[in-house]
Amino acid sequence: MDSFMEAQTQRAGELMERFIGQTLDFYENIKREDVFRKADGAAISRLLKKGIPQKGRPVDEVYREMMDDVYANTSLVQHPRCFACIPSPVSLFSWMGDVMTNAFDPHAGCVMNASAAGCIERELIRWMCGLAGYPKGCGGLFVSGGSMANLTALTAARDDRLTEAERALAVAYVSDQTHSSIAKGLHIIGFRADQVRKIPSDTNFCMDMETLRAAVRADLAAGRKPFAVIATAGTTNTGSVDPLPEIAEICRTYGMWMHVDGAFGASILLSSNERKRLDGIEYSDSLSWDAHKWLRQTYGCSMVLVRDQSHLVRSFAVHPEYLTDAGAFNEAPDFWDLGPELTRPARSLKLWITLQVMGSEAMGQMIDHGCAMARLTEELIRRYPGWEIVSPARLGIVNFRCAPVNIPPSRIDRLNQDIAREVTDSGYAQILTTELNGKRVLRMCTLHPETTEEDIRNTVRLLCESRAASMGQCRTA
Ligand SMILES: *Cc1c(COP(=O)(O)O)cnc(C)c1O
């Protein structure tokens, strides 16, 4: 190493020591930060002007630029007043686990390279399968997110329920509330758009069972091959749970694979108050579950669980000559034989660390708190004249809108978008709209355990008394 690099390495160590303390301060005071933060044109052009230098630059300079122009311009999805999308209420223990795991960078594709980490991953999978009520023989693995979990499960469903000849005739059933990653996954594994049947949802935004039965019968009568129903446990829009026992029954009758997309909602299995909403999940063949949503993990932490692990092995095991020795290392299949990835980080360790420190009970109570904050939001909104609840609080999500009687419906969508924008721009809270029953609505997802009643009251007040909302109300008068 030349003397420049030596000096930079030493300096990097000093910077990292300071970084830990600064980051802890940042998290301690996060509520003082704006939730929504975005890079301005000047920051972007400063960064891009750097290009890739031929000769290295001092690490101090690079560190400063990264802090000021990149990290400071990142929206805070872990902020207790981020109510947009599905926020990520990250635990400091997950962050600690992430930093520690990154430092050692285990290769978690096989047990040979990360024996203890592999045991932890298996133990967590076993525990989570137990929460879902899966029988002996079940299994699964950690993947980067719900989209990858869905893709992995759908591949296993296809290979278990269809011969190659049947693939062209196959049909999978989703609802109009199913997450887009399902259609994307089905597309990636070779199904045409017309092989995905979108079943309308009922007034609670759950898949309508009569329509599902009729659709399956019609497809069979037409000589097609129904092979999978994708139920959602906690839809992204409204937190709705599809009727799992009935879907299981229909799947049993017609020999279809039942996949549950629990990317968002499966975490309520940890809450003694809420878990009954997922009754019937134990009949499913596979389940997706994001830990980087309600289990407080930093990104890239999700599980795909299957009631019979041999289905993953059949779809994903390959045996190249260069992995012979590594694969012979243990009895159970290696992780690279259970999913699409070969080299992979040890994603389970941070969740393990978080659960070891917090315990499962506190995790469950934190989920109850999120549900309570959505109920409080609903209760407060109901007090404002001209405002309506479009979907009541379910699993920490509530949808509502400002709809004064005398405003033409064509202007109400825009009005609600303006309200969301105004509050988001204020920096106090982040709120987005979504579409339900053809209407634009404000949506709040209140998962963070440090969101207080005061945060909710202030946010509702900002929405209901925003300039956009008062102008809307004025026009009524
Ligand atoms: C978030 C979500 C997904 C996608 O998960 P990613 O981790 O973003 O890939 C899939 N399904 C549901 C129901 C979700 O809420």
Side-chain angles (χ1 to χ4, degrees):
M1 213 173 350
D2 65 21
S3 60
F4 173 76
M5 286 294 274
E6 223 166 272
Q8 300 318 305
T9 308
Q10 191 184 344
R11 189 67 194 128
E14 290 161 15
L15 288 167
M16 288 316 289
E17 274 176 39
R18 235 178 42 207
F19 176 81
I20 300 280
Q22 284 173 347
T23 309
L24 286 170
D25 285 346
F26 169 81
Y27 273 105
E28 202 169 310
N29 298 305
I30 194 167
K31 280 199 184 176
R32 289 195 212 136
E33 300 286 330
D34 283 356
V35 186
F36 181 64
R37 314 187 303 179
K38 172 169 167 285
D40 60 16
I44 299 285
S45 74
R46 268 195 305 278
L47 284 168
L48 296 185
K49 235 176 35 216
K50 298 286 173 336
I52 308 300
Q54 212 162 22
K55 296 234 184 300
R57 300 193 289 129
V59 66
D60 267 288
E61 245 180 71
V62 178
Y63 177 86
R64 220 358 72 226
E65 285 159 19
M66 293 304 290
M67 292 301 275
D68 294 349
D69 287 341
V70 181
Y71 303 123
N73 290 325
T74 305
S75 221
L76 298 176
V77 290
Q78 66 276 60
H79 193 295
R81 287 189 302 268
C82 175
F83 303 120
C85 307
I86 309 269
S88 180
V90 165
S91 156
L92 277 180
F93 305 117
S94 174
W95 174 64
M96 176 178 123
D98 215 355
V99 171
M100 288 169 70
T101 306
N102 254 304
F104 293 100
D105 203 22
H107 182 300
C110 61
V111 169
M112 182 189 77
N113 280 337
S115 48
C119 285
I120 284 180
E121 176 157 355
R122 289 226 178 90
E123 178 57 19
L124 272 169
I125 293 285
R126 198 192 56 73
W127 178 69
M128 299 181 112
C129 282
L131 290 170
Y134 279 177
K136 208 163 170 293
C138 59
L141 86 162
F142 277 71
V143 292
S144 59
S147 304
M148 284 305 292
N150 286 334
L151 175 74
T152 306
L154 292 167
T155 307
R158 179 197 65 188
D159 297 347
D160 185 52
R161 298 299 151 109
L162 300 170
T163 63
E164 290 204 5
E166 285 169 335
R167 284 188 193 179
L169 296 169
V171 184
Y173 302 84
V174 303
S175 89
D176 57 21
Q177 295 297 307
T178 303
H179 193 271
S180 54
S181 59
I182 296 287
K184 194 192 241 185
L186 288 166
H187 167 70
I188 295 171
I189 63 172
F191 294 105
R192 304 180 308 270
D194 67 84
Q195 294 181 278
V196 184
R197 204 69 75 235
K198 200 184 269 192
I199 306 297
S201 56
D202 61 19
T203 49
N204 292 317
F205 303 99
C206 298
M207 193 188 286
D208 185 75
M209 290 299 99
E210 271 322 300
T211 319
L212 173 63
R213 281 191 196 92
V216 172
R217 282 196 292 260
D219 282 322
L220 282 170
R224 288 184 282 264
K225 173 83 185 145
F227 84 103
V229 179
I230 291 84
T232 306
T235 58
T236 317
N237 271 338
T238 61
S240 301
V241 178
D242 287 332
L244 303 177
E246 282 179 81
I247 291 176
E249 181 62 43
I250 295 169
C251 285
R252 213 166 14 242
T253 306
Y254 297 102
M256 293 184 287
W257 179 285
M258 175 178 175
H259 174 64
V260 174
D261 181 357
F264 163 56
S267 296
I268 67 166
L269 287 171
L270 282 159
S271 151
S272 36
N273 291 341
E274 303 288 334
R275 63 170 305 151
K276 57 184 176 301
R277 293 178 195 271
L278 300 195
D279 282 354
I281 201 168
E282 66 276 15
Y283 304 125
S284 63
D285 294 290
S286 54
L287 169 65
S288 300
W289 184 346
D290 271 353
H292 62 212
K293 286 176 177 165
W294 222 341
L295 294 186
R296 313 203 54 192
Q297 299 306 294
T298 57
Y299 284 140
C301 194
S302 176
M303 286 80 58
V304 55
L305 306 177
V306 285
R307 82 185 287 110
D308 180 349
Q309 181 161 275
S310 67
H311 289 140
L312 292 181
V313 176
R314 172 174 42 204
S315 288
F316 294 105
V318 288
H319 296 286
E321 63 285 5
Y322 41 83
L323 297 181
T324 308
D325 294 346
F329 211 76
N330 74 117
E331 302 274 287
D334 272 310
F335 298 110
W336 59 40
D337 284 335
L338 299 177
E341 293 175 303
L342 196 149
T343 303
R344 56 202 281 280
R347 300 185 176 96
S348 62
L349 301 187
K350 55 192 176 184
L351 178 59
W352 174 264
I353 290 171
T354 311
L355 285 166
Q356 294 301 316
V357 179
M358 285 184 64
S360 59
E361 200 176 279
M363 196 67 105
Q365 287 160 356
M366 169 208 86
I367 285 161
D368 292 341
H369 176 80
C371 295
M373 288 303 100
R375 285 194 297 270
L376 174 64
T377 308
E378 176 184 343
E379 190 187 308
L380 295 170
I381 291 290
R382 286 196 190 278
R383 295 187 196 156
Y384 278 87
W387 286 71
E388 64 185 28
I389 297 292
V390 181
S391 167
R394 279 192 207 98
L395 267 59
I397 299 178
V398 57
N399 289 271
F400 49 89
R401 63 186 216 146
C402 176
V405 276
N406 293 345
I407 295 204
S410 59
R411 289 234 297 277
I412 290 191
D413 283 354
R414 184 56 200 276
L415 170 65
N416 283 278
Q417 284 174 304
D418 288 347
I419 294 170
R421 168 66 66 85
E422 187 178 326
V423 172
T424 296
D425 283 348
S426 79
Y428 184 77
Q430 192 186 5
I431 284 154
L432 296 175
T433 65
T434 187
E435 191 183 304
L436 292 175
N437 300 328
K439 301 171 181 167
R440 276 279 129 202
V441 301
L442 294 154
R443 174 178 167 287
M444 276 175 69
C445 182
T446 59
L447 305 189
H448 205 298
E450 280 146 41
T451 306
T452 60
E453 290 196 8
E454 195 196 353
D455 289 325
I456 296 288
R457 284 179 203 285
N458 288 340
T459 303
V460 168
R461 194 175 312 120
L462 276 177
L463 288 168
C464 295
E465 296 171 18
S466 61
R467 225 172 68 88
S470 1
M471 274 164 50
Q473 307 283 15
C474 281
R475 278 190 229 119
T476 359

